[in-house]
Amino acid sequence: QVQLVESGGGLVQAGDSLKLSCVASGRAFASYNMAWFRQAPGKERGCVAAILRSGSVTYSSDSLSLRFTASRDNAKNTVYLQTNSLRPADTAVYYCAASKYYSPSYAVADYDYWGQGTQVTVSS
């Protein structure tokens, strides 16, 4: 079992940056693939980036990869999402998730554990 707690969200202006963190409790953090998802009001939850056990990262879109950087520190049981040049369209609740599957995935259903989310609000 893994428990995930996100932090780092807030209210910022367009063009600002935020660094989100997600700390995992429980054992064997390094054995999980991790991911960052986000959900805007009235929209489905979608993946931002998947972070493999090895630390390799894949992004769900090229445009996000130009502004966001995901990473993990297995020694600290933590994953990060550095968000730059934020836009009002990035306003959402951001979640981290953990998956026991071997392959990377952007699908919500493939993730076994979820944090409670951290709100990011970007004003214009």
Side-chain angles (χ1 to χ4, degrees):
Q1 182 114 11
V2 176
Q3 294 180 327
L4 305 171
V5 179
E6 301 96 334
S7 62
L11 172 62
V12 297
Q13 294 186 331
D16 286 349
S17 299
L18 282 173
K19 186 172 186 177
L20 310 183
S21 299
C22 171
V23 179
S25 62
R27 304 177 70 176
F29 169 77
S31 68
Y32 290 91
N33 285 334
M34 303 294 294
W36 284 99
F37 287 78
R38 66 182 183 180
Q39 186 168 20
K43 295 188 177 181
E44 292 186 353
R45 191 172 299 188
C47 188
V48 174
I51 312 160
L52 299 184
R53 296 168 178 82
S54 65
S56 297
V57 180
T58 59
Y59 296 90
S60 59
S61 75
D62 290 340
S63 60
L64 284 174
S65 71
L66 295 176
R67 299 186 297 119
F68 292 4
T69 302
S71 61
R72 69 188 295 164
D73 185 338
N74 287 341
K76 296 182 177 180
N77 280 16
T78 303
V79 293
Y80 303 97
L81 184 67
Q82 176 69 47
T83 64
N84 299 323
S85 302
L86 284 164
R87 306 166 180 170
D90 295 317
T91 295
V93 178
Y94 284 70
Y95 299 90
C96 70
S99 171
K100 293 181 286 188
Y101 287 153
Y102 182 79
S103 299
S105 172
Y106 297 146
V108 171
D110 288 342
Y111 287 82
D112 305 286
Y113 305 104
W114 293 84
Q116 84 290 347
T118 185
Q119 176 72 48
V120 172
T121 303
V122 185
S123 63
S124 57

